Amino acid sequence: MSGRAMPCSPAEIGSLFLFEDLTPEQLGRLCAAGRVEKFEPGPVYSEGEPATCFYVMIEGTVVISRRVGGDDVEVNRTSQPGVYAGSMQAYLGDRVPQVYGSSLRVTEPTRFFVLPAETFSAFMQEWFPMAVHLLEGLFFGSRNTQRAVGQRERLLALGSLSAGLTHELNNPAAAAVRATASLRERVAKMRHKLAVIAQGSYSPEVLAGLIEIQERTAERVAKAPALSPLEASDREDELTDWLDDHAIQEGWRIAPTFVQAGLDVDWLEQVAAAVDEEILPGAVGWLNYTVETELLMDEIADSTTRISHLVDAAKQYSQLDRAPYQVADVHELLDSTLLMLSGKIGQRIKVVKEYDRTLPKIPAYPAELNQVWTNLIDNAVFAIDSAGGEGTLTVRTARDHERLLVEFRDTGPGIPPDIRSRIFDPFFTTKPVGEGTGLGLDISWRIVVNKHHGSLQVESAPGDTRFQVLLPLTAADPETAEEPE
């Protein structure tokens, strides 16, 4: 869009802070090479168009916006004379795409000093050669550093996840090893007890009855009800008294095992009625080994199932065997990330899930979204730890018009208002030296906004900080998505 041409006054443009140190000769050359244009309310240029001009506002009001999905998100609005926009990287030439990185519009009649991009670049090279070299080094150095530190950020996250996963795997693996060793010992004792019973003068009918009782006992173990601590304690006392009354040694040790297996006094009465009194202690001891064996096998099954679930969660988190771009269930992604980070979250932080399970699957890059969840959860845990280590992390999903909302809420101290606008800037961090690179939120923002055409925003107050990720429910064109570096 072109404005209405107006006279250019060297004195007027020299009053703008950007040009205030230029000589009268330089100001005259600027006026001769450029122009003053007045724009009526409306657009000046649009994001993605070739960057042909450098704009410096003389008077009026400008609004700068970025395109996020199908929406234009306002990023700045100002009436400050001298603010500039447009082809600000023209001096870099063909080494970077020369397109407008945002859209510019005015809300009232506004005058700009307009300089063609090639002229702006030439003046920069002629008048400020050292500054140009410094800016080139800063631009490319910052971009390379950001890429390198971004890789380091991913490696740090991977190291943290690996440590947490190793810790989580170690517990069920160690439990399975312990249970296996105990199981071997119990089976050996069961064989010995069976040999003792078989050597006695018992009829085949009695032995068959014992085997039948053993089978029914094993079935009871599989269907054992969950008891409260008080109920379990009362039943242990009842079983101990019954065992003592029937002259069975170490009833206090056997009773807790029987209670865990769901056995009660009525069951033991059935056992006593099925066998002779003289073999009752041996039968109870044999059944005790049976119960212990079943419980140990349940423990092994639970431990190996836990290991299997952890491996599945690791595969889900890493998306190793899946296409990069696919239709995904965000709840599966969130659950796998929370499980992978459970070691870091610890016991002092309560995790609350408020999932809307009616939400549909969405087209996404699941591995990248898992990285976003990791960064946001890690920041929430750090915030809660900095406030004493105890708090609540709430993960909520909901529908927001035609977008899916994923919200991470923590009860940490909050983000101070004076730094809230900077938290998504590259290399900005509030963590101590060595604990953060300042790229976690920057990477997350680019994954959500650039790659998924969504938005990432924050609301914060002491005790209530919420990072909100909004993702489109419909597919964006993956070919136009920008790769996060």
Side-chain angles (χ1 to χ4, degrees):
M1 176 179 176
S2 297
R4 179 165 56 90
M6 303 184 70
C8 177
S9 165
E12 184 176 47
I13 64 171
S15 67
L16 304 176
F17 66 83
L18 194 63
F19 304 131
E20 60 186 1
D21 291 331
L22 297 183
T23 66
E25 178 190 358
Q26 291 172 323
L27 293 173
R29 290 181 61 185
L30 279 177
C31 264
R35 60 189 184 273
V36 173
E37 292 187 17
K38 184 175 183 179
F39 289 81
E40 296 301 321
V44 177
Y45 62 74
S46 297
E47 180 179 348
E49 294 177 348
T52 58
C53 294
F54 178 69
Y55 294 84
V56 184
M57 188 182 76
I58 300 174
E59 63 176 353
T61 301
V62 299
V63 176
I64 297 176
S65 60
R66 289 289 308 273
R67 188 176 302 116
V68 179
D71 303 322
D72 284 331
V73 178
E74 182 177 321
V75 295
N76 193 19
R77 178 187 294 255
T78 181
S79 299
Q80 172 66 43
V83 296
Y84 51 89
S87 56
M88 293 182 293
Q89 296 174 353
Y91 60 88
L92 295 174
D94 296 336
R95 286 173 291 179
V96 298
Q98 292 295 335
V99 296
Y100 293 121
S102 59
S103 296
L104 180 69
R105 63 184 177 91
V106 297
T107 59
E108 61 177 324
T110 301
R111 287 192 302 135
F112 289 97
F113 173 69
V114 184
L115 198 62
E118 297 82 0
T119 307
F120 171 61
S121 175
F123 282 160
M124 288 285 292
Q125 300 283 350
E126 178 185 351
W127 293 344
F128 313 108
M130 182 177 178
V132 168
H133 289 306
L134 290 173
L135 289 171
E136 288 176 345
L138 178 63
F139 178 83
F140 291 110
S142 175
R143 191 167 68 172
N144 293 337
T145 301
Q146 185 170 333
R147 183 180 294 111
V149 177
Q151 294 294 333
R152 177 62 175 170
E153 181 88 8
R154 293 181 176 94
L155 289 174
L156 288 173
L158 179 61
S160 177
L161 289 170
S162 298
L165 181 60
T166 301
H167 174 76
E168 291 297 315
L169 285 171
N170 181 66
N171 290 337
V177 170
R178 289 193 303 268
T180 301
S182 298
L183 179 62
R184 181 176 290 110
E185 177 186 348
R186 298 302 187 277
V187 170
K189 290 183 177 179
M190 185 184 294
R191 290 197 302 266
H192 174 72
K193 183 67 70 174
L194 181 60
V196 171
I197 292 175
Q199 290 171 5
S201 55
Y202 307 126
S203 66
E205 290 77 10
V206 172
L207 291 176
L210 284 174
I211 296 297
E212 195 270 336
I213 291 174
Q214 183 188 38
E215 292 296 330
R216 287 192 289 129
T217 301
E219 292 177 3
R220 287 287 291 265
V221 174
K223 301 176 182 178
L227 300 177
S228 69
L230 182 59
E231 291 172 331
S233 177
D234 291 343
R235 185 172 292 187
E236 285 178 18
D237 291 340
E238 294 173 2
L239 290 180
T240 301
D241 292 342
W242 189 96
L243 294 169
D244 290 343
D245 292 342
H246 290 77
I248 296 174
Q249 300 295 318
E250 296 185 325
W252 59 270
R253 186 182 63 81
I254 297 175
T257 303
F258 279 4
V259 170
Q260 186 179 355
L263 306 185
D264 53 20
V265 170
D266 291 340
W267 178 258
L268 291 181
E269 289 289 356
Q270 295 179 39
V271 174
V275 300
D276 295 335
E277 185 176 349
E278 65 270 16
I279 69 169
L280 179 60
V284 170
W286 189 37
L287 292 177
N288 181 52
Y289 292 139
T290 298
V291 169
E292 289 182 335
T293 300
E294 291 295 322
L295 293 175
L296 287 168
M297 287 192 292
D298 286 345
E299 184 176 350
I300 293 172
D302 290 342
S303 298
T304 52
T305 299
R306 171 72 172 164
I307 293 172
S308 178
H309 286 166
L310 286 168
V311 172
D312 288 343
K315 290 176 64 179
Q316 168 72 25
Y317 179 85
S318 64
Q319 298 287 310
L320 286 176
D321 56 350
R322 303 189 180 190
Y325 187 78
Q326 60 178 286
V327 176
D329 184 343
V330 293
H331 302 112
E332 293 180 358
L333 304 182
L334 290 167
D335 285 341
S336 67
T337 304
L338 287 168
L339 183 55
M340 294 290 287
L341 291 172
S342 58
K344 188 167 190 176
I345 294 172
Q347 300 297 320
R348 300 178 67 190
I349 297 177
K350 180 182 179 182
V351 177
V352 177
K353 299 178 183 179
E354 297 179 355
Y355 291 170
D356 180 356
R357 294 288 187 178
T358 65
L359 291 171
K361 294 182 179 181
I362 62 170
Y365 293 85
E368 280 85 348
L369 286 182
N370 281 339
Q371 187 177 3
V372 174
W373 312 151
T374 300
N375 290 334
L376 297 181
I377 293 171
D378 181 72
N379 285 346
V381 170
F382 177 82
I384 294 173
D385 285 342
S386 67
E390 292 187 357
T392 301
L393 168 63
T394 303
V395 183
R396 182 172 71 92
T397 63
R399 184 166 186 147
D400 187 314
H401 301 292
E402 294 306 311
R403 296 189 294 180
L404 185 149
L405 167 69
V406 181
E407 181 182 80
F408 298 85
R409 176 185 178 188
D410 69 72
T411 55
I415 303 171
D418 58 327
I419 67 170
R420 201 169 300 164
S421 62
R422 302 170 56 197
I423 60 173
F424 295 109
D425 293 347
F427 307 111
F428 179 80
T429 180
T430 59
K431 295 179 180 179
V433 175
E435 292 190 25
T437 61
L439 283 180
L441 288 178
D442 171 58
I443 291 173
S444 299
W445 191 90
R446 285 185 285 124
I447 288 173
V448 172
V449 175
N450 294 345
K451 196 157 190 179
H452 288 86
H453 303 289
S455 67
L456 174 58
Q457 55 200 35
V458 62
E459 299 176 359
S460 184
D464 186 3
T465 295
R466 307 182 186 200
F467 280 89
Q468 297 172 329
V469 178
L470 287 160
L471 300 168
L473 294 173
T474 55
D477 183 2
E479 298 300 323
T480 64
E482 177 184 328
E483 290 286 344
E485 298 174 351

PDB file of all heavy atoms in Angstrom, residues 181-201:
ATOM      1  N   ALA A 181      13.735 -64.081  43.901  1.00  0.00           N
ATOM      2  CA  ALA A 181      14.558 -64.794  44.881  1.00  0.00           C
ATOM      3  C   ALA A 181      13.688 -65.383  45.995  1.00  0.00           C
ATOM      4  O   ALA A 181      13.876 -66.535  46.408  1.00  0.00           O
ATOM      5  CB  ALA A 181      15.601 -63.849  45.463  1.00  0.00           C
ATOM      6  N   SER A 182      12.729 -64.609  46.469  1.00  0.00           N
ATOM      7  CA  SER A 182      11.831 -65.106  47.520  1.00  0.00           C
ATOM      8  C   SER A 182      10.962 -66.244  46.994  1.00  0.00           C
ATOM      9  O   SER A 182      10.687 -67.209  47.714  1.00  0.00           O
ATOM     10  CB  SER A 182      10.946 -63.967  48.036  1.00  0.00           C
ATOM     11  OG  SER A 182      11.721 -62.942  48.622  1.00  0.00           O
ATOM     12  N   LEU A 183      10.522 -66.113  45.747  1.00  0.00           N
ATOM     13  CA  LEU A 183       9.687 -67.150  45.159  1.00  0.00           C
ATOM     14  C   LEU A 183      10.437 -68.473  45.072  1.00  0.00           C
ATOM     15  O   LEU A 183       9.876 -69.538  45.369  1.00  0.00           O
ATOM     16  CB  LEU A 183       9.222 -66.712  43.761  1.00  0.00           C
ATOM     17  CG  LEU A 183       8.343 -67.710  42.991  1.00  0.00           C
ATOM     18  CD1 LEU A 183       7.047 -67.957  43.753  1.00  0.00           C
ATOM     19  CD2 LEU A 183       8.050 -67.186  41.594  1.00  0.00           C
ATOM     20  N   ARG A 184      11.697 -68.409  44.684  1.00  0.00           N
ATOM     21  CA  ARG A 184      12.494 -69.640  44.602  1.00  0.00           C
ATOM     22  C   ARG A 184      12.580 -70.305  45.978  1.00  0.00           C
ATOM     23  O   ARG A 184      12.463 -71.531  46.108  1.00  0.00           O
ATOM     24  CB  ARG A 184      13.887 -69.307  44.066  1.00  0.00           C
ATOM     25  CG  ARG A 184      14.790 -70.532  43.918  1.00  0.00           C
ATOM     26  CD  ARG A 184      16.123 -70.171  43.292  1.00  0.00           C
ATOM     27  NE  ARG A 184      15.976 -69.826  41.877  1.00  0.00           N
ATOM     28  CZ  ARG A 184      16.113 -68.613  41.390  1.00  0.00           C
ATOM     29  NH1 ARG A 184      16.385 -67.602  42.210  1.00  0.00           N
ATOM     30  NH2 ARG A 184      15.965 -68.380  40.106  1.00  0.00           N
ATOM     31  N   GLU A 185      12.758 -69.488  47.008  1.00  0.00           N
ATOM     32  CA  GLU A 185      12.844 -70.030  48.376  1.00  0.00           C
ATOM     33  C   GLU A 185      11.514 -70.647  48.807  1.00  0.00           C
ATOM     34  O   GLU A 185      11.492 -71.742  49.380  1.00  0.00           O
ATOM     35  CB  GLU A 185      13.241 -68.901  49.335  1.00  0.00           C
ATOM     36  CG  GLU A 185      13.303 -69.315  50.789  1.00  0.00           C
ATOM     37  CD  GLU A 185      13.565 -68.130  51.708  1.00  0.00           C
ATOM     38  OE1 GLU A 185      13.918 -67.044  51.202  1.00  0.00           O
ATOM     39  OE2 GLU A 185      13.396 -68.297  52.937  1.00  0.00           O
ATOM     40  N   ARG A 186      10.396 -69.996  48.508  1.00  0.00           N
ATOM     41  CA  ARG A 186       9.094 -70.520  48.910  1.00  0.00           C
ATOM     42  C   ARG A 186       8.752 -71.806  48.171  1.00  0.00           C
ATOM     43  O   ARG A 186       8.182 -72.731  48.747  1.00  0.00           O
ATOM     44  CB  ARG A 186       7.995 -69.479  48.642  1.00  0.00           C
ATOM     45  CG  ARG A 186       8.139 -68.183  49.419  1.00  0.00           C
ATOM     46  CD  ARG A 186       8.167 -68.411  50.940  1.00  0.00           C
ATOM     47  NE  ARG A 186       8.133 -67.163  51.661  1.00  0.00           N
ATOM     48  CZ  ARG A 186       9.183 -66.406  51.911  1.00  0.00           C
ATOM     49  NH1 ARG A 186      10.374 -66.775  51.458  1.00  0.00           N
ATOM     50  NH2 ARG A 186       9.071 -65.294  52.613  1.00  0.00           N
ATOM     51  N   VAL A 187       9.078 -71.856  46.897  1.00  0.00           N
ATOM     52  CA  VAL A 187       8.794 -73.077  46.138  1.00  0.00           C
ATOM     53  C   VAL A 187       9.596 -74.246  46.692  1.00  0.00           C
ATOM     54  O   VAL A 187       9.089 -75.373  46.799  1.00  0.00           O
ATOM     55  CB  VAL A 187       9.092 -72.850  44.639  1.00  0.00           C
ATOM     56  CG1 VAL A 187       9.039 -74.172  43.877  1.00  0.00           C
ATOM     57  CG2 VAL A 187       8.093 -71.857  44.048  1.00  0.00           C
ATOM     58  N   ALA A 188      10.843 -73.993  47.085  1.00  0.00           N
ATOM     59  CA  ALA A 188      11.662 -75.053  47.673  1.00  0.00           C
ATOM     60  C   ALA A 188      11.037 -75.551  48.980  1.00  0.00           C
ATOM     61  O   ALA A 188      10.969 -76.767  49.234  1.00  0.00           O
ATOM     62  CB  ALA A 188      13.081 -74.550  47.921  1.00  0.00           C
ATOM     63  N   LYS A 189      10.557 -74.626  49.803  1.00  0.00           N
ATOM     64  CA  LYS A 189       9.917 -75.017  51.055  1.00  0.00           C
ATOM     65  C   LYS A 189       8.608 -75.752  50.795  1.00  0.00           C
ATOM     66  O   LYS A 189       8.249 -76.694  51.523  1.00  0.00           O
ATOM     67  CB  LYS A 189       9.660 -73.787  51.929  1.00  0.00           C
ATOM     68  CG  LYS A 189      10.935 -73.166  52.497  1.00  0.00           C
ATOM     69  CD  LYS A 189      10.612 -71.987  53.405  1.00  0.00           C
ATOM     70  CE  LYS A 189      11.877 -71.418  54.024  1.00  0.00           C
ATOM     71  NZ  LYS A 189      11.580 -70.267  54.897  1.00  0.00           N
ATOM     72  N   MET A 190       7.881 -75.352  49.751  1.00  0.00           N
ATOM     73  CA  MET A 190       6.638 -76.025  49.414  1.00  0.00           C
ATOM     74  C   MET A 190       6.910 -77.462  48.987  1.00  0.00           C
ATOM     75  O   MET A 190       6.172 -78.392  49.367  1.00  0.00           O
ATOM     76  CB  MET A 190       5.911 -75.263  48.302  1.00  0.00           C
ATOM     77  CG  MET A 190       4.525 -75.829  47.962  1.00  0.00           C
ATOM     78  SD  MET A 190       3.752 -74.998  46.572  1.00  0.00           S
ATOM     79  CE  MET A 190       3.503 -73.395  47.278  1.00  0.00           C
ATOM     80  N   ARG A 191       7.981 -77.660  48.212  1.00  0.00           N
ATOM     81  CA  ARG A 191       8.327 -79.031  47.809  1.00  0.00           C
ATOM     82  C   ARG A 191       8.674 -79.879  49.038  1.00  0.00           C
ATOM     83  O   ARG A 191       8.280 -81.047  49.144  1.00  0.00           O
ATOM     84  CB  ARG A 191       9.511 -79.004  46.839  1.00  0.00           C
ATOM     85  CG  ARG A 191       9.183 -78.438  45.464  1.00  0.00           C
ATOM     86  CD  ARG A 191      10.257 -78.818  44.445  1.00  0.00           C
ATOM     87  NE  ARG A 191      11.578 -78.341  44.848  1.00  0.00           N
ATOM     88  CZ  ARG A 191      12.095 -77.174  44.448  1.00  0.00           C
ATOM     89  NH1 ARG A 191      11.402 -76.368  43.653  1.00  0.00           N
ATOM     90  NH2 ARG A 191      13.301 -76.817  44.847  1.00  0.00           N
ATOM     91  N   HIS A 192       9.411 -79.260  49.958  1.00  0.00           N
ATOM     92  CA  HIS A 192       9.777 -79.985  51.170  1.00  0.00           C
ATOM     93  C   HIS A 192       8.540 -80.331  51.988  1.00  0.00           C
ATOM     94  O   HIS A 192       8.394 -81.477  52.472  1.00  0.00           O
ATOM     95  CB  HIS A 192      10.731 -79.119  51.996  1.00  0.00           C
ATOM     96  CG  HIS A 192      11.069 -79.718  53.339  1.00  0.00           C
ATOM     97  ND1 HIS A 192      11.884 -80.817  53.498  1.00  0.00           N
ATOM     98  CD2 HIS A 192      10.657 -79.367  54.601  1.00  0.00           C
ATOM     99  CE1 HIS A 192      11.983 -81.129  54.776  1.00  0.00           C
ATOM    100  NE2 HIS A 192      11.248 -80.254  55.468  1.00  0.00           N
ATOM    101  N   LYS A 193       7.624 -79.369  52.135  1.00  0.00           N
ATOM    102  CA  LYS A 193       6.413 -79.616  52.916  1.00  0.00           C
ATOM    103  C   LYS A 193       5.553 -80.699  52.244  1.00  0.00           C
ATOM    104  O   LYS A 193       4.973 -81.566  52.910  1.00  0.00           O
ATOM    105  CB  LYS A 193       5.613 -78.312  53.039  1.00  0.00           C
ATOM    106  CG  LYS A 193       4.361 -78.410  53.892  1.00  0.00           C
ATOM    107  CD  LYS A 193       4.703 -78.660  55.361  1.00  0.00           C
ATOM    108  CE  LYS A 193       5.338 -77.437  55.980  1.00  0.00           C
ATOM    109  NZ  LYS A 193       5.536 -77.623  57.446  1.00  0.00           N
ATOM    110  N   LEU A 194       5.492 -80.658  50.911  1.00  0.00           N
ATOM    111  CA  LEU A 194       4.735 -81.672  50.193  1.00  0.00           C
ATOM    112  C   LEU A 194       5.335 -83.051  50.401  1.00  0.00           C
ATOM    113  O   LEU A 194       4.616 -84.053  50.571  1.00  0.00           O
ATOM    114  CB  LEU A 194       4.683 -81.331  48.698  1.00  0.00           C
ATOM    115  CG  LEU A 194       3.905 -82.302  47.804  1.00  0.00           C
ATOM    116  CD1 LEU A 194       2.449 -82.385  48.257  1.00  0.00           C
ATOM    117  CD2 LEU A 194       3.990 -81.876  46.351  1.00  0.00           C
ATOM    118  N   ALA A 195       6.673 -83.126  50.422  1.00  0.00           N
ATOM    119  CA  ALA A 195       7.339 -84.418  50.655  1.00  0.00           C
ATOM    120  C   ALA A 195       7.014 -84.945  52.042  1.00  0.00           C
ATOM    121  O   ALA A 195       6.778 -86.144  52.228  1.00  0.00           O
ATOM    122  CB  ALA A 195       8.851 -84.261  50.469  1.00  0.00           C
ATOM    123  N   VAL A 196       6.983 -84.036  53.040  1.00  0.00           N
ATOM    124  CA  VAL A 196       6.662 -84.466  54.412  1.00  0.00           C
ATOM    125  C   VAL A 196       5.237 -84.999  54.477  1.00  0.00           C
ATOM    126  O   VAL A 196       4.956 -86.035  55.093  1.00  0.00           O
ATOM    127  CB  VAL A 196       6.847 -83.279  55.387  1.00  0.00           C
ATOM    128  CG1 VAL A 196       6.313 -83.640  56.764  1.00  0.00           C
ATOM    129  CG2 VAL A 196       8.307 -82.887  55.458  1.00  0.00           C
ATOM    130  N   ILE A 197       4.308 -84.266  53.816  1.00  0.00           N
ATOM    131  CA  ILE A 197       2.915 -84.705  53.833  1.00  0.00           C
ATOM    132  C   ILE A 197       2.775 -86.043  53.114  1.00  0.00           C
ATOM    133  O   ILE A 197       2.061 -86.960  53.565  1.00  0.00           O
ATOM    134  CB  ILE A 197       2.019 -83.638  53.174  1.00  0.00           C
ATOM    135  CG1 ILE A 197       1.980 -82.379  54.054  1.00  0.00           C
ATOM    136  CG2 ILE A 197       0.608 -84.159  52.953  1.00  0.00           C
ATOM    137  CD1 ILE A 197       1.220 -81.215  53.440  1.00  0.00           C
ATOM    138  N   ALA A 198       3.459 -86.185  51.986  1.00  0.00           N
ATOM    139  CA  ALA A 198       3.347 -87.421  51.206  1.00  0.00           C
ATOM    140  C   ALA A 198       3.907 -88.622  51.948  1.00  0.00           C
ATOM    141  O   ALA A 198       3.472 -89.763  51.741  1.00  0.00           O
ATOM    142  CB  ALA A 198       4.072 -87.255  49.861  1.00  0.00           C
ATOM    143  N   GLN A 199       4.895 -88.407  52.807  1.00  0.00           N
ATOM    144  CA  GLN A 199       5.492 -89.509  53.557  1.00  0.00           C
ATOM    145  C   GLN A 199       4.629 -89.950  54.731  1.00  0.00           C
ATOM    146  O   GLN A 199       4.883 -90.980  55.349  1.00  0.00           O
ATOM    147  CB  GLN A 199       6.879 -89.091  54.069  1.00  0.00           C
ATOM    148  CG  GLN A 199       7.920 -88.950  52.953  1.00  0.00           C
ATOM    149  CD  GLN A 199       9.211 -88.330  53.444  1.00  0.00           C
ATOM    150  OE1 GLN A 199       9.360 -88.080  54.641  1.00  0.00           O
ATOM    151  NE2 GLN A 199      10.134 -88.071  52.516  1.00  0.00           N
ATOM    152  N   GLY A 200       3.607 -89.174  55.077  1.00  0.00           N
ATOM    153  CA  GLY A 200       2.713 -89.533  56.164  1.00  0.00           C
ATOM    154  C   GLY A 200       1.707 -90.587  55.716  1.00  0.00           C
ATOM    155  O   GLY A 200       1.597 -90.931  54.545  1.00  0.00           O
ATOM    156  N   SER A 201       0.988 -91.069  56.680  1.00  0.00           N
ATOM    157  CA  SER A 201       0.007 -92.121  56.390  1.00  0.00           C
ATOM    158  C   SER A 201      -1.332 -91.487  56.034  1.00  0.00           C
ATOM    159  O   SER A 201      -2.319 -91.611  56.757  1.00  0.00           O
ATOM    160  CB  SER A 201      -0.155 -93.041  57.610  1.00  0.00           C
ATOM    161  OG  SER A 201      -0.494 -92.276  58.755  1.00  0.00           O
TER     162      SER A 201
END
